[in-house]
Amino acid sequence: MITLASDFGEPYPAAMKGVLLSRTDARLVDVAHNLPRQEPRTAAFWLRETLPWFPPAVHLAVIDPGVGTDRNALVVRAGDSALVGPDNGVLMPPARGLGYPDPEAFAIDPGHEEFPATGGEGSTFDGRDVFAPAAAAVHEAGVEEVGEIEWLSPVDDPEELRFPEPDLRGREASGEVLVVDRFGNAITNVPGSVLEDRFGEEVAVNGTAVPAERSYAGVEPGHRLATVGSHGNVELAVNAGRGDEAFGVGVGSEVTISY
Amino acid sequence: MITLASDFGEPYPAAMKGVLLSRTDARLVDVAHNLPRQEPRTAAFWLRETLPWFPPAVHLAVIDPGVGTDRNALVVRAGDSALVGPDNGVLMPPARGLGYPDPEAFAIDPGHEEFPATGGEGSTFDGRDVFAPAAAAVHEAGVEEVGEIEWLSPVDDPEELRFPEPDLRGREASGEVLVVDRFGNAITNVPGSVLEDRFGEEVAVNGTAVPAERSYAGVEPGHRLATVGSHGNVELAVNAGRGDEAFGVGVGSEVTISY
Amino acid sequence: MITLASDFGEPYPAAMKGVLLSRTDARLVDVAHNLPRQEPRTAAFWLRETLPWFPPAVHLAVIDPGVGTDRNALVVRAGDSALVGPDNGVLMPPARGLGYPDPEAFAIDPGHEEFPATGGEGSTFDGRDVFAPAAAAVHEAGVEEVGEIEWLSPVDDPEELRFPEPDLRGREASGEVLVVDRFGNAITNVPGSVLEDRFGEEVAVNGTAVPAERSYAGVEPGHRLATVGSHGNVELAVNAGRGDEAFGVGVGSEVTISY
């Protein structure tokens, strides 16, 4: 199984699918192709939340603002799964999310004959010309054989991308908004456990009292709430509305919750 | 075969796919994931139009504004197909559209060990934690075995959702706009048969004369027409434009057609 | 393998998938369903760029502003692949892009019993009622048997759609913008070879000096550049921004590059 994620929209991912299907009979599964453009951080968050639900697979993740520069192209092994994408940190949180705190990274040699479309040089579409052929080859070889592939070489210090840790003291948690989803839910790095014994009561979010609820439907439509999202973190939301607007927050905004 | 429909956009459906693929080798087919947010009625319309074209399948339909409340989670059997989703009416019109006027409904026990991710409690993402595992299990057991599944119990009175019937008298039909598609075509509940012998002539829509045409191309680009859409109902449209704007209608608007 | 491309958005493509899956076990691959509405020209460009990356397949391409008129419905054979769609030119550039300068075109008889949903007449959804069943039948018969299918008859003069040729003289190339992608990159018909020995230097685009770079990242974010896109043509772009706006161009705009 090979999953595909990118910020390409349409129709660029289809070229990647064509390359994959020319080289493997693997099942292909689209994860997302409308991830926010050129935001490895947001993509890393969503892939960390999503990929652990899959059985072992090769996960292609092409969010690549540095395409055409000398940044490495990577294969990262996390147990019996592998991630393939640019060396900008996007692969690391999902690799750890798969349960491997120290994933092994390997750099792809894009000049190798395995990648004929690059002409041995740069490409403006490494998703098609480097990452898709690499993902197909890793799938065909088997993830356990990654260390034996001749166009891969170990990398000791892949780019890291880590999400900030929240600050928990007493009955106050300080953190920040990690991402805003398409519904406007502002997803923080504050663990949902802080709301655990507060459901049905009010907590203070940046000084304003709002109800803590198990579900959006715990308040009337249009009303604010703090809840625990499907990722396990505190989410600032509005039932049938946009939490980001109602709370006046965006990615990176500081959030203090007193409970 | 398992089909997937939701109002989730990206990347939440991928988590459902991961759960499904961890439990079944079934073919997965995306029906739609950008259905209008939290509108079971619109989703029911589109699923009623779309699902009958499929071979027997398990159809997952997660448009679920009541997630986290005590609304039931359902499996609805319609012949050799099954629908899985919330008990808010969204499953019933498509179940009937599959040719079964009295579909059988069963409530899922989300506290059963088949659904470990719920922790026996509520979830803000039942699509991933309840509906996807249920759909996989129904697929693996076979739709004909639904009555034997221990975490399912019959429900006598599932939530209903019925589309209004048009009022046809003499040469006048009164109805309403059921949905507006992405092209701006306003799809009414008036049966296309009222235009049958009027193609090429004019009819009156809310008092204004417009041509009745077999296809959008029957009028010049930018011009209004009444036509019969692929669903068999009268559609108010503009060739290469938006019918909803030109006719000044939206979902629920009254439409009277004199023909 | 059957690929699907359309300008339908959601959920209309699902009805085509249902029809296909009722008639064939072929693998289905979505190429794009949000192609610009009713623009066969743009679709032809993207399909020409994308389809050659696939292994032999039946390619369904439904961008069909003339649906319901008497325009033909076509099957076009290009070697061991076939394209199925309306006779408005959309199939021809991708057929040639597959390496067949003289693709063979066949007209579908939509009144044949192979297409029961048309009722022998017109349809407002030929994608579902004509093209999908035709694609499934061609897949099942095998592309090499297209000439033997009784509801197909050869067409000598299918609609053509050709992209304008650029004018290259001395160190100046005049052409036009063929399409703008979702990132705002303005893709011209000027071959990338004109920039080949200019990377790292400036060229003049419509009289204004901009750097020629191998990749978007060759300039600072927000800055303009001329580059060679993944399709091999000159692209007017802005790193992490919209090239169409910065250069003041759109589809059809004249572009003169002095290099």
Side-chain angles (χ1 to χ4, degrees), chain C residues 4-48:
Chain C
L4 295 90
S6 76
D7 60 356
F8 291 155
E10 292 186 337
Y12 295 108
M16 297 200 295
K17 293 182 195 178
V19 168
L20 289 167
L21 293 168
S22 296
R23 294 162 178 247
T24 173
D25 286 327
R27 186 198 281 259
L28 305 188
V29 185
D30 286 314
V31 166
H33 290 295
N34 293 300
L35 288 166
R37 188 180 174 196
Q38 300 195 337
E39 293 186 14
R41 187 180 188 78
T42 306
F45 176 83
W46 287 117
L47 294 175
R48 185 185 69 173

mmCIF file of all heavy atoms in Angstrom, chain C residues 4-48:
data_model
loop_
_atom_site.group_PDB
_atom_site.id
_atom_site.type_symbol
_atom_site.label_atom_id
_atom_site.label_comp_id
_atom_site.label_asym_id
_atom_site.label_seq_id
_atom_site.Cartn_x
_atom_site.Cartn_y
_atom_site.Cartn_z
ATOM 1 N N LEU C 4 -10.121 8.747 -14.646
ATOM 2 C CA LEU C 4 -11.284 9.639 -14.767
ATOM 3 C C LEU C 4 -10.853 11.091 -14.612
ATOM 4 O O LEU C 4 -10.150 11.432 -13.646
ATOM 5 C CB LEU C 4 -12.317 9.352 -13.673
ATOM 6 C CG LEU C 4 -13.021 8.001 -13.669
ATOM 7 C CD1 LEU C 4 -12.236 6.993 -12.835
ATOM 8 C CD2 LEU C 4 -14.436 8.125 -13.112
ATOM 9 N N ALA C 5 -11.279 11.916 -15.560
ATOM 10 C CA ALA C 5 -11.056 13.360 -15.449
ATOM 11 C C ALA C 5 -12.343 14.067 -15.834
ATOM 12 O O ALA C 5 -13.060 13.627 -16.734
ATOM 13 C CB ALA C 5 -9.914 13.803 -16.355
ATOM 14 N N SER C 6 -12.644 15.144 -15.132
ATOM 15 C CA SER C 6 -13.857 15.905 -15.436
ATOM 16 C C SER C 6 -13.756 17.291 -14.819
ATOM 17 O O SER C 6 -12.814 17.598 -14.087
ATOM 18 C CB SER C 6 -15.094 15.196 -14.880
ATOM 19 O OG SER C 6 -15.189 15.363 -13.482
ATOM 20 N N ASP C 7 -14.765 18.086 -15.095
ATOM 21 C CA ASP C 7 -14.905 19.392 -14.437
ATOM 22 C C ASP C 7 -16.121 19.372 -13.515
ATOM 23 O O ASP C 7 -16.717 20.404 -13.248
ATOM 24 C CB ASP C 7 -15.039 20.518 -15.473
ATOM 25 C CG ASP C 7 -16.255 20.339 -16.389
ATOM 26 O OD1 ASP C 7 -16.960 19.314 -16.288
ATOM 27 O OD2 ASP C 7 -16.485 21.230 -17.232
ATOM 28 N N PHE C 8 -16.467 18.184 -13.007
ATOM 29 C CA PHE C 8 -17.732 18.003 -12.290
ATOM 30 C C PHE C 8 -17.659 18.342 -10.804
ATOM 31 O O PHE C 8 -18.704 18.479 -10.161
ATOM 32 C CB PHE C 8 -18.190 16.553 -12.380
ATOM 33 C CG PHE C 8 -18.630 16.119 -13.752
ATOM 34 C CD1 PHE C 8 -18.585 14.782 -14.110
ATOM 35 C CD2 PHE C 8 -19.090 17.037 -14.680
ATOM 36 C CE1 PHE C 8 -19.012 14.362 -15.358
ATOM 37 C CE2 PHE C 8 -19.516 16.620 -15.945
ATOM 38 C CZ PHE C 8 -19.478 15.279 -16.281
ATOM 39 N N GLY C 9 -16.463 18.424 -10.232
ATOM 40 C CA GLY C 9 -16.401 18.567 -8.784
ATOM 41 C C GLY C 9 -17.003 17.341 -8.122
ATOM 42 O O GLY C 9 -16.670 16.208 -8.458
ATOM 43 N N GLU C 10 -17.904 17.572 -7.193
ATOM 44 C CA GLU C 10 -18.597 16.493 -6.486
ATOM 45 C C GLU C 10 -20.096 16.710 -6.542
ATOM 46 O O GLU C 10 -20.539 17.850 -6.590
ATOM 47 C CB GLU C 10 -18.189 16.485 -5.011
ATOM 48 C CG GLU C 10 -16.775 16.084 -4.781
ATOM 49 C CD GLU C 10 -16.493 15.950 -3.277
ATOM 50 O OE1 GLU C 10 -17.231 16.562 -2.480
ATOM 51 O OE2 GLU C 10 -15.553 15.242 -2.928
ATOM 52 N N PRO C 11 -20.902 15.682 -6.422
ATOM 53 C CA PRO C 11 -20.595 14.258 -6.366
ATOM 54 C C PRO C 11 -20.823 13.542 -7.692
ATOM 55 O O PRO C 11 -20.851 12.321 -7.719
ATOM 56 C CB PRO C 11 -21.604 13.750 -5.324
ATOM 57 C CG PRO C 11 -22.822 14.575 -5.618
ATOM 58 C CD PRO C 11 -22.318 15.922 -6.120
ATOM 59 N N TYR C 12 -21.001 14.304 -8.782
ATOM 60 C CA TYR C 12 -21.321 13.660 -10.062
ATOM 61 C C TYR C 12 -20.304 12.584 -10.484
ATOM 62 O O TYR C 12 -20.699 11.561 -11.034
ATOM 63 C CB TYR C 12 -21.467 14.705 -11.164
ATOM 64 C CG TYR C 12 -22.622 15.673 -10.988
ATOM 65 C CD1 TYR C 12 -22.410 17.002 -10.647
ATOM 66 C CD2 TYR C 12 -23.936 15.250 -11.168
ATOM 67 C CE1 TYR C 12 -23.467 17.893 -10.501
ATOM 68 C CE2 TYR C 12 -25.002 16.141 -11.015
ATOM 69 C CZ TYR C 12 -24.759 17.458 -10.681
ATOM 70 O OH TYR C 12 -25.808 18.332 -10.528
ATOM 71 N N PRO C 13 -19.001 12.761 -10.262
ATOM 72 C CA PRO C 13 -18.076 11.697 -10.692
ATOM 73 C C PRO C 13 -18.380 10.355 -10.030
ATOM 74 O O PRO C 13 -18.083 9.304 -10.610
ATOM 75 C CB PRO C 13 -16.696 12.210 -10.264
ATOM 76 C CG PRO C 13 -16.845 13.691 -10.230
ATOM 77 C CD PRO C 13 -18.249 13.930 -9.751
ATOM 78 N N ALA C 14 -18.975 10.386 -8.839
ATOM 79 C CA ALA C 14 -19.272 9.125 -8.156
ATOM 80 C C ALA C 14 -20.291 8.302 -8.942
ATOM 81 O O ALA C 14 -20.225 7.066 -8.942
ATOM 82 C CB ALA C 14 -19.774 9.399 -6.742
ATOM 83 N N ALA C 15 -21.217 8.972 -9.627
ATOM 84 C CA ALA C 15 -22.183 8.217 -10.434
ATOM 85 C C ALA C 15 -21.443 7.517 -11.585
ATOM 86 O O ALA C 15 -21.748 6.371 -11.921
ATOM 87 C CB ALA C 15 -23.270 9.140 -10.968
ATOM 88 N N MET C 16 -20.459 8.189 -12.153
ATOM 89 C CA MET C 16 -19.649 7.542 -13.212
ATOM 90 C C MET C 16 -18.893 6.346 -12.645
ATOM 91 O O MET C 16 -18.805 5.288 -13.284
ATOM 92 C CB MET C 16 -18.660 8.539 -13.825
ATOM 93 C CG MET C 16 -19.320 9.720 -14.530
ATOM 94 S SD MET C 16 -18.220 10.557 -15.717
ATOM 95 C CE MET C 16 -16.967 11.217 -14.625
ATOM 96 N N LYS C 17 -18.364 6.501 -11.439
ATOM 97 C CA LYS C 17 -17.637 5.376 -10.826
ATOM 98 C C LYS C 17 -18.574 4.202 -10.588
ATOM 99 O O LYS C 17 -18.208 3.041 -10.805
ATOM 100 C CB LYS C 17 -17.005 5.807 -9.497
ATOM 101 C CG LYS C 17 -15.889 6.823 -9.655
ATOM 102 C CD LYS C 17 -15.279 7.146 -8.275
ATOM 103 C CE LYS C 17 -14.442 8.399 -8.336
ATOM 104 N NZ LYS C 17 -13.879 8.756 -7.008
ATOM 105 N N GLY C 18 -19.790 4.500 -10.116
ATOM 106 C CA GLY C 18 -20.761 3.435 -9.878
ATOM 107 C C GLY C 18 -21.069 2.674 -11.160
ATOM 108 O O GLY C 18 -21.105 1.435 -11.166
ATOM 109 N N VAL C 19 -21.278 3.422 -12.251
ATOM 110 C CA VAL C 19 -21.567 2.783 -13.543
ATOM 111 C C VAL C 19 -20.368 1.925 -13.974
ATOM 112 O O VAL C 19 -20.533 0.780 -14.416
ATOM 113 C CB VAL C 19 -21.893 3.852 -14.602
ATOM 114 C CG1 VAL C 19 -21.913 3.246 -15.999
ATOM 115 C CG2 VAL C 19 -23.240 4.507 -14.275
ATOM 116 N N LEU C 20 -19.179 2.472 -13.839
ATOM 117 C CA LEU C 20 -17.980 1.712 -14.227
ATOM 118 C C LEU C 20 -17.882 0.423 -13.414
ATOM 119 O O LEU C 20 -17.660 -0.665 -13.964
ATOM 120 C CB LEU C 20 -16.719 2.556 -14.015
ATOM 121 C CG LEU C 20 -16.515 3.722 -14.990
ATOM 122 C CD1 LEU C 20 -15.428 4.662 -14.473
ATOM 123 C CD2 LEU C 20 -16.149 3.209 -16.384
ATOM 124 N N LEU C 21 -18.047 0.553 -12.095
ATOM 125 C CA LEU C 21 -17.846 -0.609 -11.215
ATOM 126 C C LEU C 21 -18.969 -1.629 -11.344
ATOM 127 O O LEU C 21 -18.813 -2.773 -10.911
ATOM 128 C CB LEU C 21 -17.709 -0.129 -9.766
ATOM 129 C CG LEU C 21 -16.440 0.683 -9.509
ATOM 130 C CD1 LEU C 21 -16.512 1.360 -8.141
ATOM 131 C CD2 LEU C 21 -15.205 -0.199 -9.601
ATOM 132 N N SER C 22 -20.094 -1.219 -11.927
ATOM 133 C CA SER C 22 -21.165 -2.178 -12.209
ATOM 134 C C SER C 22 -20.828 -3.011 -13.441
ATOM 135 O O SER C 22 -21.478 -4.005 -13.721
ATOM 136 C CB SER C 22 -22.480 -1.440 -12.465
ATOM 137 O OG SER C 22 -22.883 -0.753 -11.307
ATOM 138 N N ARG C 23 -19.804 -2.583 -14.198
ATOM 139 C CA ARG C 23 -19.518 -3.231 -15.477
ATOM 140 C C ARG C 23 -18.112 -3.759 -15.615
ATOM 141 O O ARG C 23 -17.788 -4.430 -16.597
ATOM 142 C CB ARG C 23 -19.778 -2.229 -16.602
ATOM 143 C CG ARG C 23 -21.243 -1.840 -16.712
ATOM 144 C CD ARG C 23 -21.416 -0.567 -17.510
ATOM 145 N NE ARG C 23 -22.818 -0.222 -17.641
ATOM 146 C CZ ARG C 23 -23.489 -0.231 -18.793
ATOM 147 N NH1 ARG C 23 -22.868 -0.522 -19.903
ATOM 148 N NH2 ARG C 23 -24.765 0.073 -18.819
ATOM 149 N N THR C 24 -17.241 -3.410 -14.665
ATOM 150 C CA THR C 24 -15.853 -3.837 -14.794
ATOM 151 C C THR C 24 -15.188 -3.873 -13.425
ATOM 152 O O THR C 24 -15.589 -3.130 -12.524
ATOM 153 C CB THR C 24 -15.045 -2.892 -15.713
ATOM 154 O OG1 THR C 24 -13.659 -3.257 -15.673
ATOM 155 C CG2 THR C 24 -15.165 -1.446 -15.261
ATOM 156 N N ASP C 25 -14.207 -4.739 -13.284
ATOM 157 C CA ASP C 25 -13.399 -4.769 -12.061
ATOM 158 C C ASP C 25 -12.122 -3.954 -12.215
ATOM 159 O O ASP C 25 -11.227 -4.031 -11.378
ATOM 160 C CB ASP C 25 -13.014 -6.218 -11.725
ATOM 161 C CG ASP C 25 -14.202 -6.993 -11.170
ATOM 162 O OD1 ASP C 25 -15.043 -6.389 -10.478
ATOM 163 O OD2 ASP C 25 -14.271 -8.205 -11.426
ATOM 164 N N ALA C 26 -12.022 -3.193 -13.285
ATOM 165 C CA ALA C 26 -10.797 -2.426 -13.550
ATOM 166 C C ALA C 26 -10.445 -1.535 -12.365
ATOM 167 O O ALA C 26 -11.314 -1.074 -11.626
ATOM 168 C CB ALA C 26 -10.990 -1.553 -14.792
ATOM 169 N N ARG C 27 -9.167 -1.285 -12.213
ATOM 170 C CA ARG C 27 -8.725 -0.280 -11.241
ATOM 171 C C ARG C 27 -9.170 1.087 -11.748
ATOM 172 O O ARG C 27 -9.014 1.394 -12.939
ATOM 173 C CB ARG C 27 -7.198 -0.316 -11.147
ATOM 174 C CG ARG C 27 -6.640 0.586 -10.074
ATOM 175 C CD ARG C 27 -5.181 0.874 -10.289
ATOM 176 N NE ARG C 27 -4.277 -0.181 -9.881
ATOM 177 C CZ ARG C 27 -3.587 -0.173 -8.740
ATOM 178 N NH1 ARG C 27 -3.718 0.817 -7.885
ATOM 179 N NH2 ARG C 27 -2.743 -1.156 -8.478
ATOM 180 N N LEU C 28 -9.738 1.894 -10.871
ATOM 181 C CA LEU C 28 -10.119 3.268 -11.232
ATOM 182 C C LEU C 28 -9.143 4.238 -10.595
ATOM 183 O O LEU C 28 -8.783 4.079 -9.429
ATOM 184 C CB LEU C 28 -11.532 3.587 -10.737
ATOM 185 C CG LEU C 28 -12.672 2.659 -11.168
ATOM 186 C CD1 LEU C 28 -14.010 3.251 -10.740
ATOM 187 C CD2 LEU C 28 -12.644 2.397 -12.659
ATOM 188 N N VAL C 29 -8.726 5.234 -11.366
ATOM 189 C CA VAL C 29 -7.791 6.236 -10.852
ATOM 190 C C VAL C 29 -8.328 7.624 -11.188
ATOM 191 O O VAL C 29 -8.534 7.949 -12.366
ATOM 192 C CB VAL C 29 -6.387 6.070 -11.480
ATOM 193 C CG1 VAL C 29 -5.400 7.049 -10.838
ATOM 194 C CG2 VAL C 29 -5.890 4.637 -11.345
ATOM 195 N N ASP C 30 -8.550 8.425 -10.152
ATOM 196 C CA ASP C 30 -8.976 9.807 -10.386
ATOM 197 C C ASP C 30 -7.791 10.648 -10.851
ATOM 198 O O ASP C 30 -6.759 10.695 -10.171
ATOM 199 C CB ASP C 30 -9.550 10.410 -9.100
ATOM 200 C CG ASP C 30 -10.928 9.862 -8.780
ATOM 201 O OD1 ASP C 30 -11.764 9.785 -9.694
ATOM 202 O OD2 ASP C 30 -11.164 9.501 -7.610
ATOM 203 N N VAL C 31 -7.950 11.308 -11.978
ATOM 204 C CA VAL C 31 -6.920 12.233 -12.456
ATOM 205 C C VAL C 31 -7.221 13.637 -11.939
ATOM 206 O O VAL C 31 -6.369 14.295 -11.353
ATOM 207 C CB VAL C 31 -6.848 12.205 -13.999
ATOM 208 C CG1 VAL C 31 -6.050 13.386 -14.539
ATOM 209 C CG2 VAL C 31 -6.221 10.886 -14.457
ATOM 210 N N ALA C 32 -8.435 14.103 -12.125
ATOM 211 C CA ALA C 32 -8.841 15.439 -11.668
ATOM 212 C C ALA C 32 -10.326 15.568 -11.900
ATOM 213 O O ALA C 32 -10.838 15.095 -12.920
ATOM 214 C CB ALA C 32 -8.100 16.530 -12.436
ATOM 215 N N HIS C 33 -11.030 16.183 -10.954
ATOM 216 C CA HIS C 33 -12.454 16.448 -11.158
ATOM 217 C C HIS C 33 -12.794 17.910 -10.937
ATOM 218 O O HIS C 33 -13.954 18.298 -10.996
ATOM 219 C CB HIS C 33 -13.307 15.539 -10.262
ATOM 220 C CG HIS C 33 -13.269 14.118 -10.704
ATOM 221 N ND1 HIS C 33 -13.780 13.707 -11.905
ATOM 222 C CD2 HIS C 33 -12.725 13.020 -10.147
ATOM 223 C CE1 HIS C 33 -13.587 12.408 -12.054
ATOM 224 N NE2 HIS C 33 -12.942 11.967 -10.998
ATOM 225 N N ASN C 34 -11.784 18.708 -10.687
ATOM 226 C CA ASN C 34 -11.990 20.142 -10.536
ATOM 227 C C ASN C 34 -11.280 20.918 -11.626
ATOM 228 O O ASN C 34 -10.819 22.038 -11.410
ATOM 229 C CB ASN C 34 -11.527 20.595 -9.145
ATOM 230 C CG ASN C 34 -12.414 20.018 -8.053
ATOM 231 O OD1 ASN C 34 -13.610 20.260 -8.028
ATOM 232 N ND2 ASN C 34 -11.833 19.222 -7.169
ATOM 233 N N LEU C 35 -11.185 20.323 -12.807
ATOM 234 C CA LEU C 35 -10.641 21.066 -13.937
ATOM 235 C C LEU C 35 -11.550 22.269 -14.186
ATOM 236 O O LEU C 35 -12.741 22.236 -13.883
ATOM 237 C CB LEU C 35 -10.577 20.157 -15.166
ATOM 238 C CG LEU C 35 -9.476 19.085 -15.056
ATOM 239 C CD1 LEU C 35 -9.662 17.998 -16.105
ATOM 240 C CD2 LEU C 35 -8.094 19.717 -15.189
ATOM 241 N N PRO C 36 -10.985 23.374 -14.708
ATOM 242 C CA PRO C 36 -11.818 24.570 -14.898
ATOM 243 C C PRO C 36 -13.070 24.239 -15.723
ATOM 244 O O PRO C 36 -13.002 23.527 -16.725
ATOM 245 C CB PRO C 36 -10.884 25.527 -15.634
ATOM 246 C CG PRO C 36 -9.512 25.111 -15.205
ATOM 247 C CD PRO C 36 -9.589 23.612 -15.078
ATOM 248 N N ARG C 37 -14.175 24.796 -15.261
ATOM 249 C CA ARG C 37 -15.471 24.420 -15.828
ATOM 250 C C ARG C 37 -15.580 24.745 -17.310
ATOM 251 O O ARG C 37 -15.341 25.870 -17.728
ATOM 252 C CB ARG C 37 -16.569 25.167 -15.055
ATOM 253 C CG ARG C 37 -17.939 24.696 -15.458
ATOM 254 C CD ARG C 37 -19.037 25.443 -14.699
ATOM 255 N NE ARG C 37 -20.316 25.027 -15.245
ATOM 256 C CZ ARG C 37 -21.449 25.662 -15.062
ATOM 257 N NH1 ARG C 37 -21.467 26.762 -14.323
ATOM 258 N NH2 ARG C 37 -22.558 25.228 -15.600
ATOM 259 N N GLN C 38 -15.957 23.730 -18.074
ATOM 260 C CA GLN C 38 -16.297 23.908 -19.490
ATOM 261 C C GLN C 38 -15.168 24.546 -20.293
ATOM 262 O O GLN C 38 -15.404 25.386 -21.167
ATOM 263 C CB GLN C 38 -17.587 24.724 -19.616
ATOM 264 C CG GLN C 38 -18.745 24.006 -18.920
ATOM 265 C CD GLN C 38 -20.095 24.548 -19.287
ATOM 266 O OE1 GLN C 38 -20.224 25.676 -19.714
ATOM 267 N NE2 GLN C 38 -21.132 23.728 -19.125
ATOM 268 N N GLU C 39 -13.948 24.147 -19.985
ATOM 269 C CA GLU C 39 -12.785 24.621 -20.744
ATOM 270 C C GLU C 39 -12.034 23.425 -21.329
ATOM 271 O O GLU C 39 -11.017 22.981 -20.763
ATOM 272 C CB GLU C 39 -11.839 25.418 -19.847
ATOM 273 C CG GLU C 39 -12.395 26.723 -19.339
ATOM 274 C CD GLU C 39 -11.355 27.533 -18.560
ATOM 275 O OE1 GLU C 39 -10.141 27.218 -18.640
ATOM 276 O OE2 GLU C 39 -11.762 28.469 -17.859
ATOM 277 N N PRO C 40 -12.498 22.898 -22.459
ATOM 278 C CA PRO C 40 -11.810 21.748 -23.062
ATOM 279 C C PRO C 40 -10.332 22.024 -23.324
ATOM 280 O O PRO C 40 -9.491 21.130 -23.211
ATOM 281 C CB PRO C 40 -12.570 21.541 -24.380
ATOM 282 C CG PRO C 40 -13.917 22.123 -24.140
ATOM 283 C CD PRO C 40 -13.699 23.284 -23.201
ATOM 284 N N ARG C 41 -10.020 23.292 -23.601
ATOM 285 C CA ARG C 41 -8.639 23.640 -23.924
ATOM 286 C C ARG C 41 -7.699 23.438 -22.735
ATOM 287 O O ARG C 41 -6.631 22.843 -22.853
ATOM 288 C CB ARG C 41 -8.639 25.098 -24.349
ATOM 289 C CG ARG C 41 -7.340 25.579 -24.872
ATOM 290 C CD ARG C 41 -7.493 27.054 -25.260
ATOM 291 N NE ARG C 41 -6.304 27.474 -25.943
ATOM 292 C CZ ARG C 41 -6.042 27.183 -27.196
ATOM 293 N NH1 ARG C 41 -6.893 26.489 -27.918
ATOM 294 N NH2 ARG C 41 -4.905 27.565 -27.737
ATOM 295 N N THR C 42 -8.119 23.936 -21.582
ATOM 296 C CA THR C 42 -7.291 23.778 -20.381
ATOM 297 C C THR C 42 -7.188 22.305 -20.002
ATOM 298 O O THR C 42 -6.112 21.809 -19.645
ATOM 299 C CB THR C 42 -7.913 24.576 -19.208
ATOM 300 O OG1 THR C 42 -8.107 25.916 -19.629
ATOM 301 C CG2 THR C 42 -7.013 24.531 -17.989
ATOM 302 N N ALA C 43 -8.305 21.613 -20.104
ATOM 303 C CA ALA C 43 -8.302 20.183 -19.779
ATOM 304 C C ALA C 43 -7.358 19.435 -20.724
ATOM 305 O O ALA C 43 -6.596 18.559 -20.298
ATOM 306 C CB ALA C 43 -9.717 19.623 -19.882
ATOM 307 N N ALA C 44 -7.408 19.796 -21.993
ATOM 308 C CA ALA C 44 -6.543 19.124 -22.970
ATOM 309 C C ALA C 44 -5.068 19.331 -22.612
ATOM 310 O O ALA C 44 -4.248 18.417 -22.715
ATOM 311 C CB ALA C 44 -6.817 19.653 -24.381
ATOM 312 N N PHE C 45 -4.736 20.555 -22.164
ATOM 313 C CA PHE C 45 -3.355 20.816 -21.765
ATOM 314 C C PHE C 45 -2.941 19.907 -20.610
ATOM 315 O O PHE C 45 -1.915 19.232 -20.651
ATOM 316 C CB PHE C 45 -3.182 22.287 -21.358
ATOM 317 C CG PHE C 45 -1.803 22.587 -20.845
ATOM 318 C CD1 PHE C 45 -0.770 22.861 -21.714
ATOM 319 C CD2 PHE C 45 -1.519 22.534 -19.476
ATOM 320 C CE1 PHE C 45 0.521 23.091 -21.248
ATOM 321 C CE2 PHE C 45 -0.233 22.763 -18.998
ATOM 322 C CZ PHE C 45 0.789 23.045 -19.892
ATOM 323 N N TRP C 46 -3.755 19.887 -19.570
ATOM 324 C CA TRP C 46 -3.372 19.115 -18.383
ATOM 325 C C TRP C 46 -3.361 17.616 -18.661
ATOM 326 O O TRP C 46 -2.506 16.886 -18.137
ATOM 327 C CB TRP C 46 -4.292 19.428 -17.209
ATOM 328 C CG TRP C 46 -4.028 20.782 -16.635
ATOM 329 C CD1 TRP C 46 -4.880 21.844 -16.582
ATOM 330 C CD2 TRP C 46 -2.803 21.236 -16.057
ATOM 331 N NE1 TRP C 46 -4.268 22.922 -16.002
ATOM 332 C CE2 TRP C 46 -2.990 22.580 -15.670
ATOM 333 C CE3 TRP C 46 -1.552 20.649 -15.829
ATOM 334 C CZ2 TRP C 46 -1.980 23.339 -15.067
ATOM 335 C CZ3 TRP C 46 -0.544 21.402 -15.221
ATOM 336 C CH2 TRP C 46 -0.773 22.719 -14.855
ATOM 337 N N LEU C 47 -4.295 17.148 -19.462
ATOM 338 C CA LEU C 47 -4.308 15.713 -19.768
ATOM 339 C C LEU C 47 -3.106 15.353 -20.641
ATOM 340 O O LEU C 47 -2.534 14.276 -20.492
ATOM 341 C CB LEU C 47 -5.624 15.322 -20.445
ATOM 342 C CG LEU C 47 -6.850 15.474 -19.530
ATOM 343 C CD1 LEU C 47 -8.131 15.178 -20.303
ATOM 344 C CD2 LEU C 47 -6.732 14.550 -18.309
ATOM 345 N N ARG C 48 -2.715 16.242 -21.532
ATOM 346 C CA ARG C 48 -1.528 15.992 -22.349
ATOM 347 C C ARG C 48 -0.283 15.885 -21.467
ATOM 348 O O ARG C 48 0.636 15.123 -21.743
ATOM 349 C CB ARG C 48 -1.347 17.128 -23.361
ATOM 350 C CG ARG C 48 -0.218 16.886 -24.335
ATOM 351 C CD ARG C 48 0.011 18.080 -25.239
ATOM 352 N NE ARG C 48 0.561 19.215 -24.503
ATOM 353 C CZ ARG C 48 0.982 20.341 -25.063
ATOM 354 N NH1 ARG C 48 0.885 20.506 -26.375
ATOM 355 N NH2 ARG C 48 1.466 21.324 -24.324
#
